[in-house]
C-alpha cells in the first residue's frame, strides 16, 4: 500500500512536467492528492486543511499566488511558499530581492510615467529591454534600439496596456549571443543547468530556444544557490547571463518547466523534486 | 480493430485518437491529424476537449 505522507499537488492542466512528477511519486510508492485549481473553492472560514505539504504546479500565476497564501496562513507547508511566488511572479520584486542580497544582476531602472521612462532609457543607453513586471514565457518583452522606438513603445503601453504596464521595468540589454543559462535549484542545491540558445534575443525554450548542457562550476553554483535563498525558494529555476565580467542573474522562476532539460543535463529533475517534497513531508 | 477502451475522436477534426497508456485527466495531448492541443477529460471512457486558450498570467 502506498505511503500517505499528506502530500498534495496543486495544478490544473497536466503538462509533461506534472505527468513526470506524478510518475515519480508513484515510482516511490508515495500517495499524493491532486488538487485541480479549476475546482478549488477556498473557504476563508475553514482553518484546518487535510494536507501537510502542497507542491504547487499551477499554470496560472494568480491562482498559485492566492492559493499558496491561503494554505500558508493555515500552516500548510507549500513548495514553493507564497512569499517565493510573490517575489518571483514580479520581475521588479525579484530584482529587489536579488540586489538586496548582493547578487549581481543586469542594470535595471524602474519608472512610472512615459516621460520618466524615456529619461531612464536614455540614461541606460540603447539598446534596452522593456519588460512587464508581471509576465512569463517572454511575452511582451521589447528590445528598444533607439529613441524613435522608445517613444513609440511607451506611447503604445500607455494607450493600450493594462494598469500593470504603467510600471516601466527597464533593463540594460545584455549581448550574450542569444544565449543564456537556465539553472535548476532544488532544496537549496544546484542540480543541473542548460544553455538556451536561440535565433532570437529571447531565449525561452517555450519560444524555440535550443538546450545544451552546462558543466557546473563553483561560481555558477554559488550565485544560483544564493539567488534561490534571496527569493526564499525551495524549487526554482534561475535564468543567468554569462558575461566577461561574470554571471548575472536575470530572473527566477518558481513553477519551473524542465521537460527539455532532463535528457540534456542527465539529471532526473522530477525525481529530485519529488524526493525533496517527500523529505520535507517526512 | 480499434480498442473502445482507448479509442476516441478528436472533438475538433473528428479524427481517430488513441488515448496513450497511462493518460491522466487534465493531460494535454496533440491531435495527430489536425495538430490541435486537447485536454483529457475522461480516461474511461476516453473523452477529450479542446485545450484552454493561453491566459495572460500563464507561465512559469
Amino acid at each position: 500500500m502506498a505511503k500517505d505522507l499528506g502530500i498534495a499537488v496543486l495544478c490544473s492542466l497536466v503538462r509533461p512536467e506534472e505527468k513526470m512528477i506524478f510518475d515519480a511519486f508513484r515510482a516511490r510508492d508515495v500517495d499524493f492528492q491532486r488538487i485541480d485549481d479549476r475546482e478549488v473553492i477556498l473557504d476563508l472560514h475553514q482553518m484546518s486543511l487535510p494536507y501537510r505539504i502542497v507542491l504547487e504546479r499551477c499554470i496560472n500565476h494568480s491562482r498559485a499566488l492566492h492559493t499558496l497564501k491561503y494554505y500558508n496562513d493555515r500552516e500548510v507547508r507549500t513548495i514553493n511558499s507564497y512569499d517565493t511566488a510573490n517575489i518571483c511572479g514580479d520581475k521588479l520584486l525579484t530584482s529587489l530581492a536579488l540586489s538586496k542580497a548582493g547578487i549581481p544582476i543586469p542594470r535595471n531602472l524602474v519608472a512610472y510615467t512615459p516621460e520618466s521612462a524615456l529619461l531612464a532609457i536614455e540614461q541606460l543607453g540603447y539598446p534596452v529591454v522593456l519588460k512587464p513586471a508581471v509576465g512569463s514565457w517572454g511575452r511582451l518583452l521589447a528590445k528598444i534600439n533607439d529613441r524613435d522606438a522608445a517613444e513609440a513603445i511607451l506611447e503604445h503601453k500607455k494607450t493600450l496596456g493594462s494598469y500593470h504596464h504603467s510600471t516601466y521595468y527597464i533593463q540594460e540589454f545584455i549581448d550574450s549571443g542569444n544565449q543564456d543559462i537556465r539553472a535548476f535549484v532544488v532544496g537549496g542545491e544546484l542540480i543541473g543547468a542548460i544553455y538556451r540558445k536561440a535565433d532570437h534575443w529571447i531565449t525561452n525554450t517555450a519560444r524555440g530556444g535550443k538546450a545544451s548542457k552546462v558543466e557546473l562550476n563553483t561560481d555558477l553554483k554559488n550565485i544560483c544557490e544564493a539567488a534561490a535563498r534571496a527569493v526564499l525558494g525551495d524549487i526554482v529555476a534561475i535564468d543567468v547571463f554569462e558575461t566577461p565580467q561574470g554571471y548575472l542573474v536575470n530572473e527566477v522562476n518558481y513553477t519551473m518547466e524542465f521537460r527539455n532539460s532532463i535528457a540534456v543535463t542527465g539529471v532526473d529533475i522530477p525525481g529530485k523534486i519529488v524526493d525533496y517534497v517527500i523529505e520535507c513531508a517526512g | 480493430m480499434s480498442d473502445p477502451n482507448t479509442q476516441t475522436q478528436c472533438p475538433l477534426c473528428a479524427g481517430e485518437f488513441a488515448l496513450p497508456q497511462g493518460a491522466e485527466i487534465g493531460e494535454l495531448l496533440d491531435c495527430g491529424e489536425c495538430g490541435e492541443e486537447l485536454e483529457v477529460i475522461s480516461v474511461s471512457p476516453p473523452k477529450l476537449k479542446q485545450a484552454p486558450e493561453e491566459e495572460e498570467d500563464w507561465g512559469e
Side-chain angles (χ1 to χ4, degrees), chain A residues 157-177:
Chain A
K157 275 189 171 286
K158 184 175 172 60
T159 306
L160 301 173
S162 53
Y163 85 94
H164 58 258
H165 286 279
S166 58
T167 295
Y168 300 95
Y169 175 100
I170 305 153
Q171 185 176 81
E172 67 170 317
F173 176 70
I174 304 291
D175 188 359
S176 57

Side-chain angles (χ1 to χ4, degrees), chain A residues 1 22 33 38 68 100 106 134 179 186-187 202 209 234 244 282:
Chain A
M1 195 174 145
F22 295 166
Q33 188 172 338
R38 293 172 294 184
L68 290 173
K100 186 179 177 191
V134 178
Q179 175 175 283
V186 175
I202 298 175
D234 285 294

Side-chain angles (χ1 to χ4, degrees), chain A residues 14 26 34 62 139 182, chain B residues 24-26 54 57-58 60:
Chain A
V14 176
R26 291 175 186 133
R34 195 173 138 193
S62 56
R139 287 174 300 216
R182 159 61 63 102
Chain B
E24 305 264 358
I25 291 177
E54 183 178 320
D57 71 337
W58 278 21
E60 293 184 279

Side-chain angles (χ1 to χ4, degrees), chain A residues 130-150:
Chain A
L130 196 56
K131 301 181 177 185
V134 178
S136 189
W137 291 342
R139 287 174 300 216
L140 296 174
L141 303 191
K143 178 169 171 248
I144 301 176
N145 294 326
D146 57 33
R147 187 179 174 108
D148 288 344

Side-chain angles (χ1 to χ4, degrees), chain A residues 19-245:
Chain A
K19 182 145 186 170
M20 287 187 267
I21 286 170
F22 295 166
D23 288 343
F25 275 118
R26 291 175 186 133
R28 286 155 180 76
D29 206 21
V30 170
D31 258 343
F32 63 95
Q33 188 172 338
R34 195 173 138 193
I35 308 168
D36 188 329
D37 64 30
R38 293 172 294 184
E39 298 168 1
V40 158
I41 298 171
L42 302 179
D43 180 347
L44 304 195
H45 306 279
Q46 182 183 346
M47 298 311 292
S48 174
L49 299 173
Y51 330 112
R52 290 179 62 203
I53 188 158
V54 174
L55 175 64
E56 181 279 315
R57 291 292 317 173
C58 296
I59 198 165
N60 290 81
H61 170 60
S62 56
R63 293 181 196 176
L65 198 61
H66 296 138
T67 314
L68 290 173
K69 178 65 175 157
Y70 177 83
Y71 289 158
N72 288 170
D73 283 355
R74 284 152 182 78
E75 308 299 331
V76 175
R77 165 94 146 93
T78 58
I79 295 174
N80 288 289
S81 68
Y82 163 76
D83 289 328
T84 301
N86 192 38
I87 295 168
C88 296
D90 184 312
K91 292 180 177 65
L92 173 52
L93 296 185
T94 305
S95 298
L96 288 170
L98 295 171
S99 61
K100 186 179 177 191
I103 294 164
I105 58 174
R107 188 152 160 68
N108 292 307
L109 297 175
V110 173
Y112 299 117
T113 67
E115 294 76 20
S116 57
L118 187 59
L119 286 174
I121 288 169
E122 302 239 303
Q123 194 177 320
L124 270 184
Y126 299 100
V128 299
V129 178
L130 196 56
K131 301 181 177 185
V134 178
S136 189
W137 291 342
R139 287 174 300 216
L140 296 174
L141 303 191
K143 178 169 171 248
I144 301 176
N145 294 326
D146 57 33
R147 187 179 174 108
D148 288 344
E151 288 174 344
I153 287 179
L154 292 170
E155 185 185 2
H156 279 76
K157 275 189 171 286
K158 184 175 172 60
T159 306
L160 301 173
S162 53
Y163 85 94
H164 58 258
H165 286 279
S166 58
T167 295
Y168 300 95
Y169 175 100
I170 305 153
Q171 185 176 81
E172 67 170 317
F173 176 70
I174 304 291
D175 188 359
S176 57
N178 294 342
Q179 175 175 283
D180 69 357
I181 291 173
R182 159 61 63 102
F184 302 95
V185 176
V186 175
E189 186 189 347
L190 177 65
I191 62 164
I194 60 165
Y195 285 114
R196 301 185 302 184
K197 175 86 177 167
D199 297 329
H200 191 272
W201 64 275
I202 298 175
T203 56
N204 299 50
T205 51
R207 295 181 58 147
K210 297 282 180 285
S212 62
K213 185 176 182 178
V214 172
E215 296 299 336
L216 304 186
N217 62 67
T218 307
D219 287 348
L220 186 64
K221 177 179 168 65
N222 288 344
I223 195 170
C224 290
E225 293 179 359
R229 285 193 298 275
V231 301
L232 313 170
D234 285 294
I235 296 176
V236 285
I238 322 272
D239 295 344
V240 181
F241 291 123
E242 201 169 31
T243 76
Q245 291 74 41

